[in-house]
Protein backbone atom coordinates (compact mmCIF):
# COMPACT_ATOMS: atom_id res chain seq x y z
CA UNK A 1 0.00 0.00 0.00
CA UNK A 2 1.33 3.35 -0.97
CA UNK A 3 0.03 6.89 -0.98
CA UNK A 4 1.37 9.54 -3.27
CA UNK A 5 1.02 13.23 -3.94
CA UNK A 6 2.16 15.32 -6.88
CA UNK A 7 2.64 19.07 -7.21
CA UNK A 8 2.84 20.15 -10.83
CA UNK A 9 4.19 23.33 -12.41
CA UNK A 10 6.02 24.51 -9.28
CA UNK A 11 8.01 27.66 -10.08
CA UNK A 12 11.35 26.40 -8.78
CA UNK A 13 14.14 25.01 -10.90
CA UNK A 14 14.29 21.20 -10.83
CA UNK A 15 17.95 21.22 -9.84
CA UNK A 16 17.26 23.22 -6.67
CA UNK A 17 14.23 21.09 -5.80
CA UNK A 18 16.24 17.87 -6.22
CA UNK A 19 18.71 19.05 -3.56
CA UNK A 20 15.87 19.20 -1.04
CA UNK A 21 14.17 15.96 -2.15
CA UNK A 22 17.45 14.06 -1.75
CA UNK A 23 17.44 14.99 1.95
CA UNK A 24 14.13 13.27 2.75
CA UNK A 25 14.25 10.13 0.61
CA UNK A 26 14.21 7.01 2.84
CA UNK A 27 13.44 8.85 6.09
CA UNK A 28 10.38 8.52 8.26
CA UNK A 29 7.69 10.97 7.20
CA UNK A 30 7.52 12.79 10.54
CA UNK A 31 11.30 13.32 10.59
CA UNK A 32 11.22 14.55 7.00
CA UNK A 33 8.51 17.12 7.78
CA UNK A 34 10.51 18.41 10.74
CA UNK A 35 13.65 18.60 8.62
CA UNK A 36 11.90 20.48 5.83
CA UNK A 37 10.29 22.91 8.26
CA UNK A 38 13.74 24.21 9.30
CA UNK A 39 15.63 23.78 6.02
CA UNK A 40 16.92 27.10 4.66
CA UNK A 41 16.28 26.30 0.97
CA UNK A 42 13.34 27.97 -0.76
CA UNK A 43 12.31 24.63 -2.30
CA UNK A 44 11.72 23.08 1.11
CA UNK A 45 8.28 24.68 1.47
CA UNK A 46 6.65 23.17 -1.66
CA UNK A 47 8.34 19.81 -0.98
CA UNK A 48 6.99 19.87 2.61
CA UNK A 49 3.49 20.62 1.34
CA UNK A 50 3.63 17.69 -1.09
CA UNK A 51 4.91 15.39 1.67
CA UNK A 52 2.14 16.46 4.05
CA UNK A 53 -0.40 15.92 1.27
CA UNK A 54 0.90 12.38 0.70
CA UNK A 55 0.68 11.72 4.44
CA UNK A 56 -2.90 13.02 4.50
CA UNK A 57 -3.76 10.79 1.53
CA UNK A 58 -2.37 7.79 3.41
CA UNK A 59 -4.38 8.68 6.50
CA UNK A 60 -7.65 9.37 4.75
CA UNK A 61 -7.67 6.90 1.86
CA UNK A 62 -5.75 3.97 3.34
CA UNK A 63 -6.42 4.49 7.10
CA UNK A 64 -2.72 4.42 7.98
CA UNK A 65 -1.13 6.13 10.98
CA UNK A 66 1.10 9.17 10.37
CA UNK A 67 3.86 7.85 12.64
CA UNK A 68 4.18 4.57 10.68
CA UNK A 69 4.91 6.19 7.31
CA UNK A 70 8.25 6.32 5.50
CA UNK A 71 9.19 8.24 2.35
CA UNK A 72 9.94 5.43 -0.10
CA UNK A 73 10.16 7.42 -3.32
CA UNK A 74 10.57 11.13 -3.93
CA UNK A 75 11.62 12.63 -7.21
CA UNK A 76 11.51 15.84 -9.23
CA UNK A 77 10.75 15.97 -12.95
CA UNK A 78 11.29 18.94 -15.20
CA UNK A 79 8.21 20.92 -16.19
CA UNK A 80 7.77 23.38 -19.04
CA UNK A 81 10.16 26.30 -19.27
CA UNK A 82 8.69 29.77 -19.70
CA UNK A 83 10.72 31.72 -22.26
CA UNK A 84 11.04 35.42 -21.46
CA UNK A 85 13.46 38.14 -22.45
CA UNK A 86 15.36 40.82 -20.67
CA UNK A 87 16.76 44.02 -22.09
CA UNK A 88 20.52 43.95 -22.61
CA UNK A 89 23.08 46.35 -24.00
CA UNK A 90 22.11 48.61 -26.91
CA UNK A 91 18.44 47.61 -26.69
CA UNK A 92 18.99 43.99 -27.59
CA UNK A 93 16.96 41.24 -25.93
CA UNK A 94 18.66 38.55 -23.85
CA UNK A 95 17.11 35.16 -23.07
CA UNK A 96 15.55 34.51 -19.68
CA UNK A 97 14.29 31.00 -18.85
CA UNK A 98 11.90 30.54 -15.96
CA UNK A 99 11.98 26.83 -15.17
CA UNK A 100 9.25 24.78 -13.50
CA UNK A 101 9.17 21.31 -11.99
CA UNK A 102 6.83 18.52 -10.94
CA UNK A 103 7.43 17.16 -7.41
CA UNK A 104 6.26 13.62 -6.55
CA UNK A 105 6.41 12.01 -3.08
CA UNK A 106 5.35 8.43 -2.28
CA UNK A 107 4.94 7.20 1.31
CA UNK A 108 4.43 3.65 2.55
CA UNK A 109 3.99 2.16 6.02
CA UNK A 110 7.07 0.70 7.66
CA UNK A 111 6.83 -3.07 7.80
CA UNK A 112 8.92 -4.79 10.44
CA UNK A 113 10.65 -7.93 9.25
CA UNK A 114 10.16 -10.91 11.60
CA UNK A 115 13.46 -11.49 13.38
CA UNK A 116 15.09 -8.40 11.85
CA UNK A 117 17.09 -7.45 14.94
CA UNK A 118 18.36 -10.91 15.90
CA UNK A 119 21.59 -10.96 13.87
CA UNK A 120 22.66 -7.45 14.69
CA UNK A 121 25.85 -8.33 16.60
CA UNK A 122 26.78 -11.41 14.61
CA UNK A 123 29.58 -11.10 12.07
CA UNK A 124 29.04 -12.11 8.45
CA UNK A 125 30.99 -15.25 7.58
Amino acid sequence: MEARAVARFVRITPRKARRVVDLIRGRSAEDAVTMLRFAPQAASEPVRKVLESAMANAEHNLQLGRNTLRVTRAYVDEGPTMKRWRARAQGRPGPLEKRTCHITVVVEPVQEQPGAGQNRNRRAR
Side-chain angles (χ1 to χ4, degrees), residues 2 5 13 15 30 44 49 52 61 67 75-76:
E2 66 179 29
T13 64
R15 188 170 175 176
E30 291 290 334
S44 62
K49 287 185 177 184
E52 287 178 342
N61 299 339
N67 54 356
Y75 53 92
V76 177

Side-chain angles (χ1 to χ4, degrees), residues 1-118:
M1 278 191 289
E2 66 179 29
R4 64 191 295 247
V6 181
R8 300 186 70 211
F9 307 106
V10 179
R11 257 296 286 127
I12 289 181
T13 64
R15 188 170 175 176
K16 291 178 183 177
R18 283 187 190 112
R19 277 183 55 202
V20 175
V21 167
D22 289 342
L23 294 173
I24 66 166
R25 195 176 294 118
R27 294 188 181 269
S28 73
E30 291 290 334
D31 290 346
V33 168
T34 305
M35 228 167 91
L36 291 172
R37 196 171 300 277
F38 297 106
Q41 292 88 357
S44 62
E45 184 181 351
V47 172
R48 181 180 55 81
K49 287 185 177 184
V50 175
L51 175 58
E52 287 178 342
S53 177
M55 292 167 65
N57 289 341
E59 264 188 298
H60 185 265
N61 299 339
L62 304 175
Q63 285 75 37
L64 298 172
R66 288 177 73 94
N67 54 356
T68 65
L69 297 175
R70 178 173 300 285
V71 180
T72 54
R73 284 182 286 155
Y75 53 92
V76 177
D77 294 324
E78 191 170 337
T81 300
M82 297 186 288
K83 306 281 174 61
R84 302 290 186 261
W85 66 274
R86 180 178 179 165
R88 302 299 298 213
Q90 299 180 2
R92 292 188 177 104
L96 193 63
E97 294 185 339
K98 297 185 175 224
R99 299 184 185 275
T100 62
C101 66
H102 308 312
I103 303 169
T104 305
V105 176
V106 179
V107 294
E108 288 182 0
V110 177
Q111 296 177 352
E112 290 294 322
Q113 304 284 337
Q118 291 178 357

Side-chain angles (χ1 to χ4, degrees), residues 116-123:
Q118 291 178 357
N119 297 333
R120 188 171 291 179
N121 294 329
R122 189 178 293 185
R123 291 176 122 175

